[in-house]
Amino acid sequence: MKRTLFAIVLISLGLTVRAQNTIPAAAIQIQTAELAAPADKRGASSVYGYSAKGEFILLRKGTNEMICLADDPKIPGLNVACYHKDLEPFMKRGRDLKAEGKTPKEVADIRDHEAKSGWIPMPKQPASLFVYTAKAENFDPVTGTVKDGYLRYVVYIPYATAESTGLPLKPDAPGMPWLMDPGTHRAHIMISPPQKN
């Protein structure tokens, strides 16, 4: 009896782990990735996601200026993003360094040096990033169904400061825009709408 229960538990755990690591169909990855994009940008954005083998690949070549990233199936919940194509060198470099095993601090330091040297071209104008998230219990990766998702907004303005923008360095009220990482290559305006309770 104990062996039977133990076997059932092992099978259940195996199914759970397998379900969490299952890579959704390309159509579902594209559908959920575009939830981060403004409505009028969906359908024409480039979308990167995962092959059946777990390789990070281009799922769809777009015709507009937006690039969307599908959810990483190894991480519980939903976390997708869309950003302006001028941010791609910066974003791709971050992905590559992370894949090499660099720590977040190492990634930041390397990109800082490479941006200052001009090796990573940074946008000459403000460039947008949209991030859409949902908790694991609110996201079905098989159907792409999401409930209670949360969208936040970022506008990159490399080397901007509080003085050059007039923005505070922290929000004084819920949803108020503020400037993060001022004076650096990754300076950006953060806009985080209040979340539902």
Side-chain angles (χ1 to χ4, degrees):
M1 180 69 174
K2 286 183 180 178
R3 281 187 178 175
T4 303
L5 285 173
F6 185 66
I8 291 170
V9 169
L10 284 179
I11 290 169
S12 297
L13 286 173
L15 289 173
T16 300
V17 170
R18 203 172 303 125
Q20 287 176 346
N21 290 329
T22 298
I23 296 169
I28 297 296
Q29 292 186 66
I30 292 168
Q31 171 190 319
T32 54
E34 286 193 313
L35 292 173
D40 65 345
K41 303 293 183 184
R42 297 175 188 169
S45 59
S46 293
V47 181
Y48 285 90
Y50 299 86
S51 71
K53 295 179 181 178
E55 303 157 321
F56 190 72
I57 61 169
L58 179 66
L59 296 176
R60 183 183 73 198
K61 183 168 177 50
T63 56
N64 69 16
E65 71 280 10
M66 299 302 288
I67 295 172
C68 297
L69 304 181
D71 181 63
D72 184 341
K74 296 187 296 295
I75 301 172
L78 177 70
N79 190 330
V80 295
C82 287
Y83 52 83
H84 190 277
K85 65 182 179 181
D86 287 356
L87 286 168
E88 177 61 3
F90 171 72
M91 297 296 187
K92 183 179 184 308
R93 186 62 173 141
R95 291 192 301 268
D96 291 345
L97 290 169
K98 184 179 176 184
E100 290 174 16
K102 304 292 187 194
T103 66
K105 183 179 183 326
E106 288 172 327
V107 171
D109 290 345
I110 291 168
R111 287 198 295 188
D112 180 57
H113 172 74
E114 292 175 347
K116 284 178 179 172
S117 72
W119 194 82
I120 298 177
M122 295 300 292
K124 302 286 189 245
Q125 73 294 323
S128 59
L129 162 72
F130 305 90
V131 181
Y132 187 78
T133 58
K135 295 179 181 176
E137 61 268 25
N138 293 333
F139 171 53
D140 182 346
V142 175
T143 64
T145 304
V146 183
K147 67 176 183 177
D148 297 328
Y150 178 70
L151 184 61
R152 63 185 169 87
Y153 317 92
V154 177
V155 181
Y156 277 87
I157 310 180
Y159 304 105
T161 64
E163 294 75 20
S164 70
T165 62
L167 289 165
L169 299 182
K170 62 179 183 178
D172 293 331
M176 180 180 182
W178 60 286
L179 187 66
M180 187 172 185
D181 297 325
T184 72
H185 71 286
R186 61 187 183 278
H188 56 278
I189 300 168
M190 291 287 299
I191 306 169
S192 302
Q195 296 193 52
K196 298 175 185 175
N197 292 331

